[in-house]
Short mmCIF file of all heavy atoms in Angstrom, two decimals:
data_model
loop_
_atom_site.label_atom_id
_atom_site.label_comp_id
_atom_site.label_asym_id
_atom_site.label_seq_id
_atom_site.Cartn_x
_atom_site.Cartn_y
_atom_site.Cartn_z
N LEU A 171 3.81 7.57 -1.85
CA LEU A 171 2.77 7.26 -0.88
C LEU A 171 2.52 5.76 -0.80
O LEU A 171 2.34 5.20 0.30
CB LEU A 171 1.48 8.00 -1.27
CG LEU A 171 0.35 7.99 -0.25
CD1 LEU A 171 0.76 8.76 0.99
CD2 LEU A 171 -0.90 8.59 -0.86
N ILE A 172 2.54 5.08 -1.94
CA ILE A 172 2.38 3.63 -1.95
C ILE A 172 3.52 2.97 -1.19
O ILE A 172 3.31 2.08 -0.37
CB ILE A 172 2.30 3.10 -3.40
CG1 ILE A 172 0.98 3.50 -4.04
CG2 ILE A 172 2.47 1.59 -3.44
CD1 ILE A 172 0.88 3.17 -5.52
N GLY A 173 4.76 3.44 -1.44
CA GLY A 173 5.92 2.88 -0.73
C GLY A 173 5.85 3.09 0.77
O GLY A 173 6.10 2.17 1.55
N LYS A 174 5.50 4.31 1.19
CA LYS A 174 5.38 4.59 2.62
C LYS A 174 4.31 3.71 3.27
O LYS A 174 4.49 3.19 4.37
CB LYS A 174 5.02 6.06 2.85
CG LYS A 174 6.12 7.04 2.53
CD LYS A 174 5.62 8.46 2.70
CE LYS A 174 6.65 9.48 2.29
NZ LYS A 174 6.14 10.87 2.39
N GLY A 175 3.20 3.55 2.56
CA GLY A 175 2.12 2.73 3.09
C GLY A 175 2.52 1.28 3.26
O GLY A 175 2.20 0.64 4.27
N ILE A 176 3.23 0.73 2.28
CA ILE A 176 3.65 -0.67 2.38
C ILE A 176 4.66 -0.85 3.50
O ILE A 176 4.64 -1.86 4.22
CB ILE A 176 4.20 -1.17 1.02
CG1 ILE A 176 3.10 -1.16 -0.04
CG2 ILE A 176 4.77 -2.58 1.15
CD1 ILE A 176 3.55 -1.50 -1.44
N ILE A 177 5.55 0.12 3.69
CA ILE A 177 6.50 0.05 4.81
C ILE A 177 5.75 0.05 6.14
O ILE A 177 6.06 -0.74 7.05
CB ILE A 177 7.51 1.21 4.74
CG1 ILE A 177 8.49 1.00 3.58
CG2 ILE A 177 8.29 1.34 6.05
CD1 ILE A 177 9.38 2.17 3.29
N LEU A 178 4.72 0.90 6.27
CA LEU A 178 3.92 0.91 7.50
C LEU A 178 3.16 -0.41 7.68
O LEU A 178 3.03 -0.90 8.81
CB LEU A 178 2.94 2.08 7.48
CG LEU A 178 3.55 3.46 7.69
CD1 LEU A 178 2.51 4.54 7.45
CD2 LEU A 178 4.11 3.58 9.09
N LEU A 179 2.69 -1.00 6.58
CA LEU A 179 2.03 -2.31 6.68
C LEU A 179 3.01 -3.38 7.15
O LEU A 179 2.65 -4.26 7.94
CB LEU A 179 1.42 -2.70 5.33
CG LEU A 179 0.15 -1.96 4.93
CD1 LEU A 179 -0.25 -2.31 3.50
CD2 LEU A 179 -0.99 -2.27 5.90
N PHE A 180 4.26 -3.32 6.66
CA PHE A 180 5.31 -4.23 7.16
C PHE A 180 5.49 -4.06 8.66
O PHE A 180 5.59 -5.04 9.40
CB PHE A 180 6.64 -3.97 6.45
CG PHE A 180 6.90 -4.86 5.27
CD1 PHE A 180 6.81 -4.38 3.98
CD2 PHE A 180 7.27 -6.18 5.45
CE1 PHE A 180 7.06 -5.18 2.89
CE2 PHE A 180 7.54 -7.00 4.37
CZ PHE A 180 7.42 -6.50 3.09
N LEU A 181 5.57 -2.82 9.11
CA LEU A 181 5.77 -2.54 10.53
C LEU A 181 4.62 -3.08 11.38
O LEU A 181 4.84 -3.77 12.39
CB LEU A 181 5.91 -1.02 10.74
CG LEU A 181 6.08 -0.55 12.18
CD1 LEU A 181 7.39 -1.04 12.76
CD2 LEU A 181 6.00 0.96 12.26
N LEU A 182 3.38 -2.81 10.96
CA LEU A 182 2.23 -3.30 11.70
C LEU A 182 2.13 -4.82 11.67
O LEU A 182 1.77 -5.45 12.67
CB LEU A 182 0.94 -2.68 11.14
CG LEU A 182 0.79 -1.18 11.38
CD1 LEU A 182 -0.44 -0.64 10.64
CD2 LEU A 182 0.69 -0.87 12.86
N GLN A 183 2.49 -5.43 10.55
CA GLN A 183 2.49 -6.89 10.45
C GLN A 183 3.55 -7.48 11.37
O GLN A 183 3.32 -8.51 12.01
CB GLN A 183 2.74 -7.33 8.99
CG GLN A 183 2.67 -8.81 8.76
CD GLN A 183 1.27 -9.37 8.94
OE1 GLN A 183 0.29 -8.64 8.94
NE2 GLN A 183 1.17 -10.67 9.09
N GLY A 184 4.72 -6.83 11.46
CA GLY A 184 5.77 -7.29 12.36
C GLY A 184 5.33 -7.22 13.81
O GLY A 184 5.56 -8.17 14.59
N ILE A 185 4.67 -6.12 14.20
CA ILE A 185 4.17 -5.99 15.58
C ILE A 185 3.12 -7.07 15.86
O ILE A 185 3.11 -7.69 16.92
CB ILE A 185 3.58 -4.58 15.79
CG1 ILE A 185 4.69 -3.54 15.75
CG2 ILE A 185 2.82 -4.49 17.11
CD1 ILE A 185 4.20 -2.10 15.71
N TYR A 186 2.26 -7.33 14.88
CA TYR A 186 1.23 -8.36 15.04
C TYR A 186 1.87 -9.74 15.22
O TYR A 186 1.44 -10.51 16.09
CB TYR A 186 0.31 -8.35 13.81
CG TYR A 186 -0.65 -9.50 13.76
CD1 TYR A 186 -1.76 -9.54 14.59
CD2 TYR A 186 -0.43 -10.55 12.86
CE1 TYR A 186 -2.64 -10.61 14.53
CE2 TYR A 186 -1.30 -11.62 12.81
CZ TYR A 186 -2.41 -11.66 13.64
OH TYR A 186 -3.27 -12.71 13.59
N GLN A 187 2.90 -10.04 14.44
CA GLN A 187 3.57 -11.34 14.55
C GLN A 187 4.26 -11.50 15.90
O GLN A 187 4.24 -12.58 16.50
CB GLN A 187 4.58 -11.52 13.41
CG GLN A 187 3.98 -11.66 12.03
CD GLN A 187 3.20 -12.94 11.85
OE1 GLN A 187 3.34 -13.88 12.61
NE2 GLN A 187 2.34 -12.97 10.84
N ILE A 188 4.88 -10.42 16.39
CA ILE A 188 5.55 -10.48 17.70
C ILE A 188 4.52 -10.72 18.80
O ILE A 188 4.73 -11.57 19.68
CB ILE A 188 6.34 -9.18 17.95
CG1 ILE A 188 7.56 -9.13 17.03
CG2 ILE A 188 6.79 -9.09 19.41
CD1 ILE A 188 8.28 -7.80 17.03
N LYS A 189 3.40 -10.01 18.76
CA LYS A 189 2.35 -10.21 19.77
C LYS A 189 1.82 -11.64 19.71
O LYS A 189 1.58 -12.27 20.75
CB LYS A 189 1.20 -9.22 19.54
CG LYS A 189 1.50 -7.81 19.98
CD LYS A 189 0.27 -6.94 19.78
CE LYS A 189 0.53 -5.52 20.23
NZ LYS A 189 -0.64 -4.65 19.99
N ARG A 190 1.63 -12.14 18.50
CA ARG A 190 1.13 -13.51 18.33
C ARG A 190 2.11 -14.52 18.89
O ARG A 190 1.71 -15.49 19.55
CB ARG A 190 0.89 -13.75 16.84
CG ARG A 190 0.11 -14.97 16.52
CD ARG A 190 -0.20 -14.99 15.05
NE ARG A 190 -0.69 -16.27 14.65
CZ ARG A 190 -0.90 -16.64 13.41
NH1 ARG A 190 -0.65 -15.79 12.43
NH2 ARG A 190 -1.36 -17.82 13.12
N SER A 191 3.40 -14.31 18.65
CA SER A 191 4.42 -15.21 19.18
C SER A 191 4.47 -15.17 20.70
O SER A 191 4.63 -16.21 21.36
CB SER A 191 5.80 -14.85 18.62
OG SER A 191 5.82 -14.96 17.23
N LEU A 192 4.32 -13.98 21.30
CA LEU A 192 4.33 -13.86 22.75
C LEU A 192 3.13 -14.56 23.38
O LEU A 192 3.26 -15.23 24.42
CB LEU A 192 4.35 -12.38 23.17
CG LEU A 192 5.65 -11.62 22.91
CD1 LEU A 192 5.49 -10.14 23.22
CD2 LEU A 192 6.79 -12.22 23.72
N VAL A 193 1.96 -14.43 22.76
CA VAL A 193 0.77 -15.12 23.26
C VAL A 193 0.96 -16.63 23.18
O VAL A 193 0.61 -17.37 24.12
CB VAL A 193 -0.49 -14.67 22.49
CG1 VAL A 193 -1.68 -15.56 22.78
CG2 VAL A 193 -0.82 -13.22 22.79
N LYS A 194 1.53 -17.10 22.07
CA LYS A 194 1.78 -18.54 21.90
C LYS A 194 2.77 -19.04 22.94
O LYS A 194 2.60 -20.12 23.51
CB LYS A 194 2.31 -18.77 20.48
CG LYS A 194 2.37 -20.22 20.09
CD LYS A 194 2.79 -20.35 18.63
CE LYS A 194 2.86 -21.79 18.21
NZ LYS A 194 3.31 -21.93 16.83
#
Side-chain angles (χ1 to χ4, degrees):
L171 191 65
I172 289 173
K174 289 176 185 178
I176 296 174
I177 289 171
L178 287 172
L179 286 173
F180 264 106
L181 178 66
L182 292 174
Q183 184 68 17
I185 292 170
Y186 171 75
Q187 292 293 343
I188 289 170
K189 285 183 179 178
R190 193 173 167 189
S191 299
L192 289 174
V193 169
K194 191 175 180 182

